[in-house]
Amino acid sequence: MNAPVHHAVEYYLGEFSRLAPALPGQHLPWLRRAREAAMERFARLGFPGRRDEEWKYTPLAAIEKPHFALVPSAPGSVAAEQVEGFALAGTHLLVFVNGRFEPGLSRPEKLPAGATVVSLREALEGDAGELAARLGRVPENVTPFAALNQAFMTDGAYLRLAPGTKLLKPIQLLFLASQPNLAIQPRILVLAEEGSAATLIEHHAAIGDIGYFTNGVTEIVACPGAAIEHHKLQQESRRAFHVAAVVAEQDRDSRLASTSFALGAALARVDIAIGLQGEGAACTLDGLYVAVGRQHLDHHTRIDHLKPRCRSRELYKGILSGAARAVFNGKVIVHPDAQQSDAFQSNHNLLLSENAEVDTKPQLEIFADDVKCGHGATVGQLDEDQLFYLRSRGVDGGTARAVLTMAFARESVDRVGIPALQKRLDQLLPALLPRESEGQT
Amino acid sequence: MLEIRNLHVAVDGAPILKGIDLTVKPGEVHAIMGPNGSGKSTLAYILAGRDGYRVTEGEVRYGGRDLLALAAEERARAGVFLAFQYPVEIPGVANIYLLKVAINAARRHRGEPELDAMDILLRVRSKLKLMDMDESLLYRAVNESFSGGEKKRNEILQMAVLEPKLAILDEADSGLDIDALKAVARGINAQRDPGRAMILVTHYQRLLQLVVPDRVHVLAQGCIARSGGWELAAELERTGYGGITGREGGEEARP
Amino acid sequence: MATETLKLDELIARGYEHGFYTPVEVDTVPSGLNEAVIRLISAKKQEPEFMLEWRLKAFRHWLGMTEPAWSTVRYPAIDYQAISYYAAPKSRAGGPRSLEEVDPELLRTYEKLGVPLEEREILAGVAVDAVFDSISVATTFKDKLAELGIIFCSFSEAVREHPDLVRQYLGSVVPHTDNFFAALNSAVFSDGSFCYIPPGVRCPMELSTYFRINARNTGQFERTLIVADRGAYVSYLEGCTAPMRDEHQLHAAVVELVALEGAQIRYATVQNWYPGDKEGKGGIYNFVTKRGDCREANSHISWTQVETGSAITWKYPSVILQGDNAVGEFHSVALTNNYQQADTGTKMIHLGRNTRSTIVSKGIAAGHGKNVYRGLVRVGKSAAGARNYTRCDSLLLGDKCAAHTFPYIEVKNPSGRVEHEASTSRIGEDQLFYCQSRGLSAEDAVSMIVNGFCREVFKELPMEFAVEAQKLLGVSLEGSVG
């Protein structure tokens, strides 16, 4: 039983010692140490097993077994026309192919003064002094996969906003996979200084029906009064594996809105951890997972209320059909002294077929008394009264179900205030909702 | 248009309707009155095709067809309309979108070309005025956070837009203030038509002063206890249901 | 005021009401656990061979198990070899046949606890199977129940008198391999209650058991088995009080309920074992496995619990809803004050069609208390039309306490409908001020608000228990205001 585990860890250890000298930023002693420490941590933890409470519903054998290549064989195999199918109108677009930044496919356009966005490789090959404090550590409470990313991270994006800088257009970071059997480890860092504001769309997709493994880490640092939106659109190939961590630290009066749209991948797991570290900080975490066939989509979120008067809101919705499975685990932790915390979380799931399954666990851990906290979770089918109402107006059962299912998803789409992204979702979602025949139970 | 013969209906094994006979001709307006629990809403639901009701005996023919054999949506497309006593809220579905889907479902059924959003909007706008409703209601989710009056008006608006042959209005007047009641009555009267039949299910007589029915039936304990003209409704208002059903009107005789 | 709220300062002065020690001579087996001890227990209880075999099977399984570490409760390691696994009042030799034969010292103990057996017999119509440490000392109303074919006796007696019933149902809900503490209980259980209601019989009175922990360093391993045959009904009350002790004491009970077709079992618990002192010294470890099996169609099991005692509570009264249309309920009030820890909740396992379950949990944390709701709602593939509603509220008093909610929801059938709601809040200052401006003291106001918070659960308790539960809440909250 344990043999393959060792095998996988040994494989990554071997690859690390082979590839480390060529990883970007090896001239930086702090980064070398950080990579080595992360590799040690990963070797120590290994792939989480089902006995691990945080992973009990998500089996990892499929990710653990293959020996994914850690370096792409040839760059630039994607044409500009192929990018157009994924680019969103009205954004600063940065394109990454197989994990590497492709300036030729990107249109970053001019950012306002005070805002810079560069590829991570570029940032690491400079003196990168200012990154030491951020990239030098991955919080201990995120997954072993984050450590793996830390060890191997090669490229990604670094967005920096000087105090008061406000971006008007969203930045779209488009990660395209085109090579099978590759492990892609993108790393995104957002450093938003006091009073700055920006919107980031992190978009993962594939060219062709290929199998690969994306293992991403996104770090967001919001200084006092900063306002950041991070919307993630995951439409990986149905044969791909997608594991990601989103870690945010929020200072006083900062705002973060984070949305996760999980539509693709055979197996996807996203861990989102938000630290409300300054008084009056607020975050909104939304998500929509739509799983069909044998897809397995897992979200784990964690919000730490560490200081008084912070507010968090969370709404995750799921639509499951076929033999798909979804997992939601939402933790809200109110630490001692985080008085007047205000937290509410909900998770609603629609099960549309006989073999679909959902496991949800909203949880509250509260160590302060002056708090207002709550959560709600539901699992069910479409509402019979609503279905009858539509049918009594002449709408056939299949259409009525489709209308109500879209209406269920609507709320999550509407909460994203970006027309281009909403439009894209309106195009993508109907194709993922079950047809009349499958929807019947 | 509608013929109900010896209709017996049970819910969860308990008999609710115990032998209803009713014939409604095109152009007629029938009122079905009765105390709470007499089976009025059951009759409305069984005609519209809601699940959970079991017909144990009898038949319902609509334009010569077996109505009970049709699914709810087939009945709607064939011209049967139910205005709900408690209209359902459907978050995420705009009111206008529902009308569009419903109109086009009926048009497809009749082999007519579907209407686009603009045609539908034009059609609906003219009816809005009739119901004294604001256009903004069209873009809000179906019945979501509508007031009681707005919900009832919205039901009549849908009737006006969908132009049914047989309209069943279940307690269209309950919970309305006098202005809303007048708007609802105006909407109903405007749609009286030689080709259209209506069944008004109601507890009180006040709607019937504004929409004068051709026939009045009193439903009690699952049977039609009495039938008559409009004057029967007036008599009921004086005597309560007790005089007709042989029981005290009691709580049912609220104003 | 409508509620029977006691003056808190009066209660504070009282201390732990049930803290006294009954000097009775005790027949104790030396500390330690091995096969010889189990054989000795079985022999002392004159058990048939199958019981000994079952105990040994459980013991051998237990040896290979490790103590669970997944809950949030923290306590020093328990030395299972330092515990004595059998204690019986010596005066029992031969066994009392009636109340007159019972040691008067014991009867006085119960009187101080407010369980005057003779009076209760007349006043409340309650049959009491009192368990003093490990063996049953008195059973009342037996004759009346016997007329209806109801068997209500100590577990030891059931093993001797009704071995076939015991053999058929023992371990059929909580197998001897179930978990660490259940396996330990299966190996060494001393006594407990057994109840069988024959088909179609409605038990005419509330059945009740009071547990006491008395002898020093004695683990208490109760085992209760209740079987309601087809169409039967029974309401069972369990109450616990314990004298003051400095050493931590382990209580690892097992309760199994079996409801056959159309049967209903209501099981209510008021648990006020010794919670330890203000510094967290002493108190009972209450590690209990309670599970009901709605084995056949239309059966109904409800658990109601008021947990105010014990240093540590670890229990999840659960229902397995096997039969179609079966109903499971869990109503709970758990209060933790000072350094008490409670990790409690329920599991509702839906297997049959159209099964329904309701969970209402009210947690109150005060002082340094830690209060955890942990629950599982599972809708299996076969459970078409299953419904669950869960409401889980926490109330926090003071800024050193903690309240956690861990609901697990697993749904494998699309027609299942599960709703879960939870809230955490504290008593609002405006609520307190409102009460105070109407002339209530802060303590009375808190007590009233807490009682209101728990009302939903209290109304599930039989009348006399509800009153006692309210009083207990007042006692347990002492010193938490201000």
Side-chain angles (χ1 to χ4, degrees), chain C residues 286-408:
Chain C
N286 190 25
F287 299 160
V288 178
T289 305
K290 289 184 167 178
R291 195 175 302 153
D293 186 359
C294 284
R295 201 162 281 180
E296 295 180 356
N298 304 313
S299 51
H300 185 158
I301 289 178
S302 64
W303 297 100
T304 303
Q305 61 173 24
V306 176
E307 303 281 325
T308 63
S310 295
I312 301 175
T313 298
W314 179 97
K315 65 182 266 199
Y316 313 91
S318 304
V319 185
I320 301 166
L321 297 146
Q322 292 201 70
D324 292 351
N325 311 315
V327 178
E329 291 176 68
F330 174 74
H331 304 273
S332 168
V333 165
L335 183 147
T336 50
N337 195 1
N338 299 320
Y339 285 87
Q340 280 177 277
Q341 308 174 56
D343 195 309
T344 184
T346 184
K347 292 188 215 176
M348 292 291 172
I349 312 292
H350 292 258
L351 301 170
R353 299 171 69 86
N354 298 316
T355 45
R356 282 174 292 146
S357 63
T358 305
I359 299 170
V360 177
S361 165
K362 304 282 180 178
I364 302 146
H368 290 82
K370 182 149 85 174
N371 209 313
V372 177
Y373 168 80
R374 189 185 300 275
L376 168 67
V377 175
R378 178 181 288 153
V379 175
K381 221 166 190 46
S382 52
R387 294 279 177 275
N388 164 269
Y389 174 75
T390 301
R391 172 89 229 161
C392 180
D393 296 319
S394 306
L395 194 63
L396 296 153
L397 305 171
D399 57 3
K400 297 287 184 289
C401 54
H404 306 330
T405 315
F406 302 103
Y408 292 69

Side-chain angles (χ1 to χ4, degrees), chain A residues 162-205:
Chain A
T165 309
K166 292 191 164 70
L167 285 193
L168 297 175
K169 288 199 291 183
I171 293 176
Q172 181 184 6
L173 303 176
L174 175 59
F175 293 90
L176 289 173
S178 67
Q179 182 187 321
N181 304 317
L182 190 65
I184 302 163
Q185 318 228 23
R187 182 66 166 260
I188 298 166
L189 174 61
V190 178
L191 188 53
E193 297 200 55
E194 197 153 345
S196 62
T199 296
L200 202 68
I201 298 169
E202 183 184 334
H203 188 174
H204 295 267

Side-chain angles (χ1 to χ4, degrees), chain A residues 382-392 397 400-401 404:
Chain A
L382 294 170
D383 185 275
E384 286 298 326
D385 290 335
Q386 294 179 350
L387 275 173
F388 174 66
Y389 191 80
L390 289 175
R391 289 173 60 209
S392 79
R401 269 188 287 277
L404 291 178

Side-chain angles (χ1 to χ4, degrees), chain A residues 263-286:
Chain A
L263 311 179
L267 185 159
R269 159 72 174 246
V270 179
D271 281 81
I272 299 177
I274 311 292
L276 298 171
Q277 300 178 347
E279 277 198 49
C283 70
T284 305
L285 301 189
D286 291 338

Side-chain angles (χ1 to χ4, degrees), chain C residues 16 241-246 272-277 281-284 309-311:
Chain C
Y16 186 71
T241 54
M244 191 174 283
R245 285 259 167 267
D246 279 336
N272 59 325
W273 302 107
Y274 178 55
D277 66 14
K281 197 155 171 267
I284 302 294
S310 295

Side-chain angles (χ1 to χ4, degrees), chain A residues 23-40:
Chain A
L23 290 168
Q26 280 306 90
H27 63 288
L28 305 166
W30 64 264
L31 185 59
R32 267 203 319 273
R33 280 196 302 275
R35 288 188 192 276
E36 279 159 15
M39 200 59 225
E40 270 167 36

Side-chain angles (χ1 to χ4, degrees), chain C residues 377-445:
Chain C
V377 175
R378 178 181 288 153
V379 175
K381 221 166 190 46
S382 52
R387 294 279 177 275
N388 164 269
Y389 174 75
T390 301
R391 172 89 229 161
C392 180
D393 296 319
S394 306
L395 194 63
L396 296 153
L397 305 171
D399 57 3
K400 297 287 184 289
C401 54
H404 306 330
T405 315
F406 302 103
Y408 292 69
I409 301 167
E410 304 175 1
V411 183
K412 295 187 196 331
N413 187 298
S415 62
R417 192 176 285 265
V418 177
E419 284 179 69
H420 171 98
E421 286 177 65
S423 76
T424 303
S425 55
R426 67 168 189 171
I427 294 180
E429 269 160 30
D430 46 348
Q431 285 175 313
L432 270 182
F433 175 72
Y434 184 85
C435 296
Q436 284 175 276
S437 73
R438 296 291 176 270
L440 273 74
S441 69
E443 286 82 359
D444 279 350

Side-chain angles (χ1 to χ4, degrees), chain C residues 138-157:
Chain C
T139 305
T140 53
F141 279 115
K142 235 166 129 172
D143 296 343
K144 198 165 171 193
L145 295 172
E147 278 172 34
L148 292 162
I150 295 172
I151 302 166
F152 181 42
C153 61
S154 74
F155 210 99
S156 318
E157 189 180 330

